[in-house]
């Protein structure tokens, strides 16, 4: 489906949730934003390209918005289909994107040793399968670069950290079109039937808030994320950014409230159990995915001097500074 002149949406799935990959077809460059999970290049990208008369080798450049299985897991498979296509990503996400073992250790299994919060073996196997084979990228972006796709079409590479450190977005300033990957999550990810399926999964709260503010400043007229319906018009874009920020503010309040009820301190797992039902209507089994955001909020309270962490405890415990002594 062509959502704006030259910009195609390739529909896919990650579990029960929609996945939207974008293809920018210019006269000089054809850019694919994200490669999906490991099976997706064969399963959805190749057929879509064929449908619009393109071969994988017509894609000159792949840009991974960020280090997650549904955005870069298809890199090795795409490179097999088209060895000359250049793969690229944000420099800060490069190590994770190039090596599934690094991605596992630093992202998906990041809270296991200190917090005892981790995916089970079946989930681990699925994650590793979706991440595909190790695949070096050909170049990285630090953001601020401008990419020419055609004689009268350029897009800007933007740094939009928060969900990952090296998260990128693309901005077509002339048409005010923002392709933002998973930079902003609203209050929930819905499944294909419109039911709440996943909580927001930002990891760095202050970076995420900074990204929301930055994206507001762009005054986009079209906001295209990878898992949310496309937002058309300034009002819809603003409403989605408001919803995104509101969730963060609510989560911060819920975290502080829960900790105030526990002067003895709380582990991440205890906080997840208390905060989950207050933050969203997704299935309760999904609450574990709050590990990313809630660990982010705990870290933020520590950095801002509002909480202290007892790192000698196993798992580590947090308590509000105001309740000490
Ligand atoms: Zn995603």
């Amino acid at each position: 489906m062509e959502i704006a002149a030259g910009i195609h949406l390739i529909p896919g799935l990650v579990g029960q949730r929609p996945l939207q990959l974008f293809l920018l077809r210019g006269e000089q460059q054809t850019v694919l934003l994200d490669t999906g999970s490991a099976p997706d290049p064969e399963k959805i990208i190749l057929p879509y390209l064929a449908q619009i008369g393109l071969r994988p080798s017509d894609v000159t450049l792949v840009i991974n918005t960020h280090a997650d299985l549904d955005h870069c897991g298809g890199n090795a498979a795409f490179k097999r289909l088209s060895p000359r296509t250049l793969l690229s990503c944000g420099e800060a996400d490069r190590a994770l994107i190039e090596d599934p073992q690094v991605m596992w250790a630093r992202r998906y299994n990041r809270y296991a040793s200190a917090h005892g919060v981790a995916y089970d073996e079946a989930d681990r196997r699925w994650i590793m399968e979706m991440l595909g084979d190790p695949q070096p990228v050909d170049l990285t972006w630090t953001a601020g670069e401008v990419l020419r796709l055609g004689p009268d079409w350029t897009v800007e590479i933007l740094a939009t950290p928060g969900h990952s450190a090296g998260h990128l977005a693309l901005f077509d300033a002339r048409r005010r079109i923002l392709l933002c990957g998973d930079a902003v999550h609203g209050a929930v990810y819905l499944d294909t039937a419109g039911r709440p399926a996943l909580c927001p999964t930002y990891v760095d709260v202050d970076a995420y808030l900074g990204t929301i503010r930055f994206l507001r400043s762009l005054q986009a007229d079209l906001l295209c994320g990878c898992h949310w319906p496309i937002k058309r018009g300034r009002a819809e874009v603003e409403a989605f950014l408001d919803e995104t920020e509101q969730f963060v503010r609510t989560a911060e309040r819920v975290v502080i409230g829960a900790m105030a009820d526990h002067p003895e301190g709380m582990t991440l797992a205890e906080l997840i159990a208390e905060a989950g039902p207050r933050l969203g209507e997704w299935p309760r089994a999904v609450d574990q995915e709050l590990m990313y955001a809630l660990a982010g909020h705990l870290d933020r309270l520590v950095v801002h001097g509002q909480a202290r962490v007892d790192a000698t405890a196993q798992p580590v415990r947090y308590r509000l500074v105001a309740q000490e002594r």
Side-chain angles (χ1 to χ4, degrees), residues 1-312:
M1 175 180 28
E2 200 170 359
I3 57 158
I7 303 181
H8 295 255
L9 187 163
I10 306 175
L13 281 175
V14 49
Q16 303 299 314
R17 292 181 287 118
L19 170 68
Q20 302 173 150
L21 306 179
F22 295 93
L23 183 80
L24 289 74
R25 189 178 186 183
E27 286 170 55
Q28 292 166 229
Q29 303 262 6
T30 294
V31 176
L32 174 64
L33 200 57
D34 292 329
T35 54
S37 309
D40 289 339
E42 292 274 3
K43 213 170 75 185
I44 64 167
I45 299 170
L46 188 65
Y48 189 92
L49 291 173
Q51 196 187 305
I52 59 168
L54 295 180
R55 291 159 304 168
S57 58
D58 293 320
V59 176
T60 46
L61 176 69
V62 163
I63 301 176
N64 296 127
T65 57
H66 67 285
D68 251 338
L69 60 89
D70 50 329
H71 298 266
C72 61
N75 279 11
F78 195 88
K79 197 74 167 176
R80 282 193 289 273
L81 291 174
S82 176
R84 297 171 80 92
T85 300
L86 294 176
L87 301 179
S88 70
C89 67
E91 172 57 28
D93 278 1
R94 181 177 55 79
L96 284 73
I97 285 175
E98 290 188 331
D99 185 346
Q101 295 299 339
V102 175
M103 180 94 88
W104 171 253
R106 293 201 209 158
R107 190 162 182 82
Y108 300 115
N109 203 39
R110 173 174 170 182
Y111 309 100
S113 67
H115 300 282
V117 181
Y119 292 105
D120 65 21
E121 179 54 21
D123 285 340
R124 189 195 67 83
R125 239 179 280 141
W126 181 80
I127 288 169
M128 297 314 288
E129 190 187 326
M130 293 300 116
L131 281 170
D133 295 325
Q135 174 63 54
V137 300
D138 299 297
L139 66 116
T140 57
W141 312 92
T142 52
E145 298 90 349
V146 175
L147 189 63
R148 178 164 296 284
L149 306 180
D152 53 3
W153 189 11
T154 60
V155 290
E156 212 176 311
I157 313 267
L158 309 177
T160 50
H163 176 53
S164 78
H167 197 295
L168 300 177
L170 294 188
F171 188 51
D172 176 335
R174 190 170 57 79
R175 296 187 289 171
R176 315 209 75 76
I177 298 173
L178 177 61
L179 301 157
C180 60
D182 294 1
V184 281
H185 300 174
V188 67
Y189 293 68
L190 301 175
D191 65 15
T192 50
R195 294 170 302 220
L198 180 62
C199 55
T201 50
Y202 53 88
V203 297
D204 181 329
V205 178
D206 285 320
Y208 192 63
L209 288 171
T211 286
I212 297 167
R213 198 182 321 156
F214 173 52
L215 296 187
R216 283 189 201 284
S217 77
L218 299 175
Q219 303 197 302
D221 286 325
L222 194 66
L223 182 147
C224 311
C226 289
H227 307 285
W228 298 267
I230 288 173
K231 309 300 174 193
R232 291 182 186 274
R234 199 71 56 88
E236 269 189 32
V237 172
E238 269 302 304
F240 187 66
L241 295 173
D242 286 346
E243 180 188 316
T244 300
E245 180 169 351
Q246 199 50 53
F247 181 88
V248 181
R249 304 291 179 200
T250 301
E252 183 86 353
R253 233 182 4 254
V254 165
V255 168
I256 291 173
M259 291 176 76
D261 289 342
H262 293 274
E264 75 282 10
M266 286 187 104
T267 65
L268 177 59
E270 288 164 354
L271 182 61
I272 288 169
E274 287 216 5
R278 301 184 203 172
L279 289 176
E281 298 301 310
W282 44 79
R284 293 280 67 94
V286 166
D287 283 344
Q288 184 180 299
E289 303 280 338
L290 282 166
M291 63 185 175
Y292 302 101
L294 295 185
H297 282 282
L298 289 169
D299 276 349
R300 180 178 198 242
L301 289 173
V302 171
V303 167
H304 290 215
Q306 288 172 267
R308 254 190 271 278
V309 55
D310 178 0
T312 61

